Structure formats: C-alpha cells, structure tokens
Amino acid sequence: SRYGQQSRDRFVRIKSRLAVGCVPPIDSGMNTRRSDSPQFGALVPDWTPPATPEGAVMTGRYAALEPLNADKHAALLFRAYEGEDHVWDYLPYGPFSSSAQYHRWVHSVTDKSDPVFFAVRNLDTGHFDGVLSLLRIDPAAGSIEVGHINFSPALQRTPVATEALFLTMQWAFEAGYRRFEWKCDALNVPSRRAGQRLGLSYEGTFRQATVYKGRNRDTAWFAAIDKEWPALKEAFRVWLDPSNFNEEGHQIERLSDLTALVRVTSDPTL
C-alpha cells in the first residue's frame, strides 16, 4: 500500500541518519591494555561552550515558543489551566487560586537566567496553551535540560505539544549542546512515557532525590546526546509531516516507533 511504502521509506531514512550518529567502535588496541591501566574519555577537540537560551524564539509548523512574560502571558495561561488542578500534581508549585497569584509567580521566575521559561503558542488557534523551560544550563559541560513542563488539556497529546518539545531539543543541539536531559518524578508514568517517546534513553533513577509538596521524589533520568541528534531530527521530521496524519488527523506512524531506532536504552517500567 502507499502508506506501507511510505513507512518503509521513512525507516530507511532514519536508519541512514542513525548511521551518521553512531558511536565508533572501541579501538581493538584497548583489549591489550592491563585491566588496571587508567582509562580516559574521548578527547573533545576545539570545544566551545554554547550560548544560553535567554531571549530565544523558536518557531515550527504547529508551535512557537517565546520568552514567558507575566504581563503578556499570565492571564491567558491562567485561563487555560483554570479548573484543571491536576496539571500541577508533579510540579513543585501550584495550583494557583487567582490570575493575580499566577501573575506574581510568573513575574518571580522570569527574571532568572536559569530556568529560562517559554510560553507555548498554538500557531493554528493563536492561543497560549502551556509553559516549559530550559534549565540546569551548563554551557561548560554542554548539558541542558527541558523541564517545568505544564501543558493545558487543550495542548496535551497534540502535534503542537510534540513540536514544542522538539523545538527545545533542536535549539539545544544546534546551539552546540552535547547532552539534552529530561527528568521527572519516578511515579509520573505519563512523563516517563513521554520522555522515551521523544527518543531519550533511560539512564536510571535517583532515589530520594528531593522533597516537594511534602512528598519524597525519586527522579527518573532520560537523555539524548549530540551523536543521536541527526537520527532523532529525522524521526521528528517524519512524524510531524502533514502526510503522517490521515484525514481524521490520526497519526499513521507512531513517534515512539520511529525514535526506538535511536534510543540506546529503554525504561524497564514501561
């Protein structure tokens, strides 16, 4: 069928991108070293720490991200979240009882250099339907994390939401970061599933990592690295293409199937 041939072609493209991003095999000379010889990581020649994301604007086909601003976005976002207190369950703040209270909170977090918050706009409707941030920004190490993700019900499980997260990953790797992280409460199964769906590899769970809202949090870690980016970018390009959705708007290829070709580990709980 036409869709079947498209599927095969897509997997071929992703595999070719994956080959570009493969880690080269270990030099066979390693096997001749004494087991107690010191081992060292690969050299990173001409390493230049990348820029930080303050002021960045990211635009795709379905979604746009712009720096969060209390006066411009807070009232609109409060309305998007109103009556949906469950969206705050796994965040260390919220829910907020009034638009004014939420405005104060937004104002308090937007004068910091880490995290850097963004408002998510649906390009079809023009509505601001969610927030996310880039945080734990470490240019010297080339590491950055996406977090503080709070998508309203109108945004959840849509191409807009997926592309918003893709845009942060694209910005990070194309700015020169080597590592892109996703962390969540280990009990937050939808977040664990979302991180893996995006192609981030499970790296373990940090027990008793923090306390929030009076509760213990074990933190599950996921990440992608720069060598995996070409294949991940192709997977997202394929999934986000309008041809991947039928007349009813249902996906033809699942993103998780496309990114599974790239991930080096899987979450054992999923």
Side-chain angles (χ1 to χ4, degrees):
S1 70
R2 178 169 62 90
Y3 286 143
Q5 184 59 49
Q6 287 178 342
S7 176
R8 287 189 289 273
D9 292 345
R10 286 163 173 160
F11 275 87
V12 167
R13 288 198 299 271
I14 292 169
K15 285 182 177 179
S16 69
R17 294 285 186 176
L18 183 58
V20 173
C22 282
V23 178
I26 297 175
D27 189 329
S28 58
M30 292 280 289
N31 297 326
T32 64
R33 295 178 181 175
R34 289 170 51 90
S35 61
D36 58 351
S37 298
Q39 306 291 306
F40 303 101
L43 294 175
V44 184
D46 303 318
W47 169 245
T48 301
T52 57
E54 289 97 335
V57 174
M58 310 171 206
T59 304
R61 176 181 282 117
Y62 308 106
L65 308 183
E66 60 184 66
L68 183 63
N69 177 277
D71 293 336
K72 181 176 181 179
H73 302 123
L76 300 172
L77 288 164
F78 180 79
R79 285 200 291 272
Y81 299 137
E82 195 169 14
E84 305 288 351
D85 286 358
H86 63 279
V87 301
W88 306 98
D89 284 351
Y90 291 103
L91 292 167
Y93 41 79
F96 297 91
S97 61
S98 68
S99 180
Q101 186 184 43
Y102 184 61
H103 185 283
R104 288 193 295 272
W105 178 83
V106 172
H107 188 269
S108 74
V109 299
T110 52
D111 62 351
K112 296 179 172 61
S113 59
D114 189 347
V116 176
F117 279 86
F118 297 89
V120 180
R121 181 162 59 97
N122 181 326
L123 289 177
D124 182 44
T125 65
H127 297 163
F128 289 98
D129 289 328
V131 166
L132 54 72
S133 78
L134 291 169
L135 68 155
R136 301 186 188 276
I137 303 162
D138 188 348
S143 177
I144 197 166
E145 177 184 344
V146 64
H148 294 281
I149 300 164
N150 193 1
F151 291 169
S152 71
L155 184 57
Q156 294 171 16
R157 301 178 67 85
T158 67
V160 182
T162 298
E163 187 175 56
L165 294 164
F166 161 74
L167 288 171
T168 64
M169 196 184 306
Q170 176 175 256
W171 183 90
F173 284 124
E174 295 187 357
Y177 285 86
R178 306 171 61 235
R179 175 178 170 84
F180 183 86
E181 298 179 335
W182 174 291
K183 304 187 185 86
C184 63
D185 189 314
L187 296 176
N188 187 351
V189 175
S191 187
R192 295 178 75 138
R193 187 176 292 117
Q196 181 159 287
R197 173 178 175 266
L198 295 174
L200 308 183
S201 298
Y202 174 71
E203 295 186 336
T205 296
F206 283 49
R207 299 173 299 159
Q208 297 188 186
T210 190
V211 175
Y212 74 111
K213 293 182 175 175
R215 304 187 299 253
N216 173 66
R217 172 172 143 164
D218 297 348
T219 297
W221 286 48
F222 299 80
I225 59 173
D226 54 359
K227 291 181 175 64
E228 297 155 358
W229 173 238
L232 285 175
K233 185 176 183 179
E234 180 64 16
F236 279 103
R237 190 196 67 76
V238 167
W239 191 84
L240 289 165
D241 192 281
S243 67
N244 188 46
F245 299 90
N246 65 21
E247 291 78 5
E248 290 76 37
H250 299 140
Q251 64 182 349
I252 297 167
E253 299 287 353
R254 298 193 311 168
L255 181 60
S256 57
D257 290 338
L258 299 171
T259 58
L261 298 168
V262 187
R263 288 186 288 102
V264 296
T265 57
S266 298
D267 186 335
T269 70
L270 300 178

